[in-house]
Amino acid sequence: MKKLLKNIIKSMPIVPQSWAFSVVEFIFLAKTTFRVSLSKYAYTPSKAVETYCDYIRENIKRKSGQRHDFVLVDCFSVPQWIMANSIFLNRLCEQLDTAIASYGFAPREHTPDFLYRSFGAENHFRVSLTSAQRRRRNEIYLSIFKNSRTPEQLFNLHIDGIWVGLDLYESILRSGTATVNMDSYKARFTIYHGLRHFIFFYDLIQSGRVKAVAPSHDCYATVGLLAKVAQRFGVPVFYANPMTIMRSFKPHDLYQKYLNYPEIFASLPTEEQVKVKKSAKDALAKRVGGSAGVNMFYSTKSAFTSNKLPRQTTASSKLKIIVATHCFYDNPHAYGKMTFRDFYQWLEFLGEISRKTDYEWYLKTHPDYRAGTLEILHEFMLKHPKFKLVDSNTTFHQLKEEGVSIALTAYGSIGHELPFLGYHVINASYNPHSRYKFNINCKSREEYEDVLMNLDALPPIKDIEKIYEFYATHHYLTESDNLLFESLSDYFTFADGDFLSDSCYEYFMRTPYDNIQRYSQHSDEFLASDYHYDFEMLLAKLGGST
């Protein structure tokens, strides 16, 4: 029945379709509100959450109560983010003399509500629209399908100088689709619902009540648009987590630091360079040796183990290419505007290149690939039969032994892993390795195509030793292990991959006073400075500069 209703709505003319989507939103909101209200009095927080919240209420100076202005934050329930921001947000509010407010389409669920209230976020704004705002949304929605009939036009959509199309586009992908089909139910509803957030943020920011925003992410319509609207009107934007605190002045400026990595490393005193490079060598040896999660807490499986599977490639002497696929649904423009609109469009481009070349083409997913990935790849291979899918558990060591010499990625970590094994790694877009020569970094489709059409003429891999410098800068100099906890690495070991568990708060409660004091002092120093990134402040203390 649900599928039938979606098909009916999808086939409607635009105007009645917008009315139908409004009803869908209303029904979802009513169901959620009823469920939350019904279970309110039966809710009991876990012991870990209750202990943590009791301590925070007693030991963090909070700017709470009903106030006219506020710092706006989304509802994000990952414990490590909550623990850092329960401290940072109150230090920010102390400076601005305001309070914290969260927002969301629906009421806060019980556990997030309990947590947010503990650190002073008593107010919660529902993303609702007035009748005048609803009319504006419908007008924009109609204009999109009048003037932006293609995915590319949607992607490039700007409203009042704000790049709205990017977050709408990526939100459609996030709904579980490999690329955008403008006529699909998912695309149309996601656009309609995303515009609700855009208009809400736009008018709220313009009201002057929002003194700063501190979103959990810089992407997707429900969060990324808040940052972009705030930046448009000069409202301060901050990102805080257990590893770093940053200011943001324009979209994607969090990643400008990659362009300065060589200078950042060079600014360190010599003894510090030696120290962090040694740490980098040890970590990389573990990573390419098969250890999972090394400086990548979210990774649970390694592509570098010693396991050997039956041969995955042919025994021919043809040039062999491995394409390391990305998650199709997850934020392809993570570092800025990627060369391709999404990862499927990237594969389609490679599919066209395959028709012009006599290479052998292989696809490899990460061992812990997302559900739906294989179905998408099999569909792709039906259109582009030169591609073959290797077993996801095949190691890069085995593929190199089988004669694979070229690895393609949009901007993945294989860029600093595979050169050690003798692979030429070619990046399709801007990435953390962009200032280094141990990869080939293409800046345009034209350059990318030229490189791919002439793989036999690639020069030898350069600057392998610079990988240690990159790794040290990326993981040890621009991120910190001891901002919130004495050791964030130890926290990740404690969590053992379950980073959403309430038990994570137990780790904080091992040394709660020290954690609060450490992160409060760091927050205050950063807020009193003009630094873009907090690592600039930390490097200055080491005698370095940026």
Side-chain angles (χ1 to χ4, degrees):
M1 177 61 74
K2 186 180 291 186
K3 185 176 181 180
L4 176 62
L5 287 173
K6 287 183 177 180
N7 285 333
I8 291 171
I9 294 172
K10 182 180 70 171
S11 63
M12 287 179 174
I14 295 297
V15 173
Q17 186 180 77
S18 66
W19 301 338
F21 284 149
S22 183
V23 173
V24 171
E25 283 185 332
F26 176 80
I27 292 172
F28 175 80
L29 180 59
K31 284 183 176 180
T32 305
T33 302
F34 179 73
R35 175 178 53 78
V36 172
S37 299
L38 192 64
S39 58
K40 178 178 180 180
Y41 299 103
Y43 171 72
T44 302
S46 68
K47 183 63 176 177
V49 167
E50 185 174 30
T51 302
Y52 168 79
C53 289
D54 286 346
Y55 190 90
I56 293 298
R57 286 190 199 95
E58 293 296 322
N59 292 278
I60 286 186
K61 186 178 180 181
R62 302 181 300 156
K63 287 279 189 178
S64 58
Q66 298 294 324
R67 302 175 68 94
H68 177 73
D69 49 30
F70 43 84
V71 171
L72 193 61
V73 61
D74 57 304
C75 289
F76 188 59
S77 299
V78 174
Q80 66 198 49
W81 187 87
I82 292 279
M83 290 183 277
N85 279 273
S86 65
I87 302 167
F88 174 75
L89 290 170
N90 278 286
R91 302 316 304 155
L92 178 59
C93 287
E94 180 72 20
Q95 183 190 76
L96 299 176
D97 190 28
T98 188
I100 308 164
S102 67
Y103 71 89
F105 175 62
R108 289 192 300 221
E109 298 283 350
H110 297 309
T111 296
D113 186 62
F114 196 78
L115 286 160
Y116 273 59
R117 287 182 182 277
S118 75
F119 60 81
E122 296 171 5
N123 299 324
H124 179 73
F125 286 87
R126 297 270 287 273
V127 181
S128 58
L129 303 181
T130 65
S131 57
Q133 289 174 320
R134 289 196 294 271
R135 286 194 297 271
R136 279 167 55 203
R137 172 167 69 162
N138 287 340
E139 289 170 0
I140 296 172
Y141 183 73
L142 295 179
S143 72
I144 286 175
F145 285 94
K146 180 180 179 181
N147 303 315
S148 303
R149 290 296 301 165
T150 68
E152 185 171 5
Q153 288 173 321
L154 172 67
F155 178 79
N156 291 317
L157 175 67
H158 285 68
I159 300 175
D160 193 22
I162 301 166
W163 192 7
V164 176
L166 171 63
D167 290 308
L168 295 178
Y169 193 99
E170 290 198 320
S171 294
I172 296 169
L173 300 178
R174 188 69 170 174
S175 71
T177 182
T179 193
V180 171
N181 173 3
M182 292 290 284
D183 293 325
S184 71
Y185 178 90
K186 283 183 177 179
R188 295 199 171 199
F189 179 73
T190 302
I191 292 168
Y192 188 79
H193 188 62
L195 291 173
R196 180 189 188 106
H197 287 79
F198 170 69
I199 290 171
F200 176 82
F201 296 147
Y202 190 97
D203 289 358
L204 187 59
I205 293 288
Q206 280 213 308
S207 74
R209 297 181 64 191
V210 181
K211 300 305 178 186
V213 302
S216 59
H217 296 77
D218 65 345
C219 52
Y220 306 125
T222 55
V223 184
L225 284 177
L226 171 62
K228 290 178 178 64
V229 173
Q231 290 161 342
R232 166 68 176 80
F233 293 106
V235 173
V237 178
F238 295 92
Y239 293 93
N241 59 58
M243 296 176 283
T244 185
I245 303 174
M246 299 169 285
R247 289 181 171 88
S248 181
F249 304 97
K250 60 183 180 180
H252 300 119
D253 65 351
L254 303 180
Y255 316 105
Q256 290 177 344
K257 61 186 179 182
Y258 303 150
L259 295 175
N260 298 320
Y261 272 8
E263 289 76 20
I264 291 170
F265 186 83
S267 74
L268 280 181
T270 302
E271 60 272 19
E272 288 295 328
Q273 291 183 9
V274 172
K275 179 180 176 182
V276 294
K277 279 183 71 173
K278 182 182 185 305
S279 297
K281 286 183 179 181
D282 293 342
L284 279 164
K286 291 179 182 177
R287 190 183 285 192
V288 299
S291 297
V294 180
N295 296 125
M296 298 171 72
F297 67 87
Y298 50 84
S299 180
T300 58
K301 294 182 179 180
S302 172
F304 294 92
T305 66
S306 58
N307 295 339
K308 198 82 176 275
L309 299 179
R311 187 178 181 97
Q312 299 290 304
T313 67
T314 74
S316 78
S317 60
K318 287 185 178 180
L319 188 146
K320 295 178 173 62
I321 301 170
I322 191 74
V323 179
T325 64
H326 297 259
C327 175
F328 293 104
Y329 318 128
D330 189 18
N331 188 209
H333 302 275
Y335 301 136
K337 188 175 182 180
M338 190 175 72
T339 306
F340 303 91
R341 290 196 314 274
D342 55 54
F343 294 128
Y344 193 82
Q345 295 299 313
W346 169 54
L347 285 188
E348 284 287 345
F349 180 85
L350 296 180
E352 294 305 314
I353 295 293
S354 73
R355 298 177 188 276
K356 306 175 187 177
T357 59
D358 193 31
Y359 311 143
E360 287 186 10
W361 296 81
Y362 298 94
L363 299 168
K364 179 177 170 16
T365 69
H366 197 274
D368 50 2
Y369 59 84
R370 289 273 299 272
T373 298
L374 296 186
E375 292 81 353
I376 294 168
L377 292 178
H378 283 301
E379 178 185 330
F380 169 79
M381 288 187 293
L382 287 176
K383 292 192 290 182
H384 302 286
K386 281 194 174 182
F387 284 82
K388 307 298 180 186
L389 182 65
V390 304
D391 191 303
S392 64
N393 292 310
T394 309
T395 71
F396 285 111
H397 294 288
Q398 176 176 337
L399 291 172
K400 190 68 178 66
E401 290 173 7
E402 292 184 12
V404 179
S405 59
I406 307 291
L408 306 185
T409 177
Y411 46 64
S413 63
I414 64 169
H416 60 266
E417 296 161 343
L418 295 194
F420 283 118
L421 306 184
Y423 286 87
H424 278 92
V425 180
I426 304 170
N427 294 285
S429 194
Y430 178 69
N431 66 89
H433 319 103
S434 287
R435 280 291 306 279
Y436 293 95
K437 296 179 180 178
F438 50 77
N439 284 179
I440 296 172
N441 298 298
C442 299
K443 299 180 178 64
S444 68
R445 287 191 187 212
E446 294 74 22
E447 181 184 3
Y448 194 43
E449 180 171 5
D450 182 64
V451 169
L452 293 175
M453 294 298 295
N454 296 282
L455 293 179
D456 292 325
L458 290 179
I461 303 170
K462 299 178 181 178
D463 294 346
I464 294 291
E465 282 294 314
K466 286 286 186 178
I467 295 176
Y468 300 122
E469 172 187 309
F470 160 80
Y471 194 93
T473 307
H474 192 59
H475 289 290
Y476 305 136
L477 301 184
T478 59
E479 294 178 350
S480 295
D481 189 59
N482 60 350
L483 288 189
L484 177 61
F485 306 119
E486 186 174 351
S487 171
L488 184 62
S489 301
D490 187 62
Y491 166 78
F492 290 145
T493 301
F494 172 87
D496 194 26
D498 192 0
F499 301 110
L500 299 179
S501 171
D502 286 354
S503 65
C504 292
Y505 295 103
E506 295 174 2
Y507 187 89
F508 183 95
M509 292 307 298
R510 289 179 173 182
T511 55
Y513 177 82
D514 291 343
N515 298 334
I516 291 173
Q517 292 301 308
R518 185 185 302 112
Y519 206 78
S520 292
Q521 180 180 346
H522 185 75
S523 298
D524 288 344
E525 289 181 10
F526 179 74
L527 291 170
S529 76
D530 294 322
Y531 288 120
H532 186 179
Y533 311 99
D534 65 343
F535 73 80
E536 296 172 297
M537 182 174 70
L538 296 172
L539 286 175
K541 293 180 180 180
L542 288 174
S545 64
T546 57

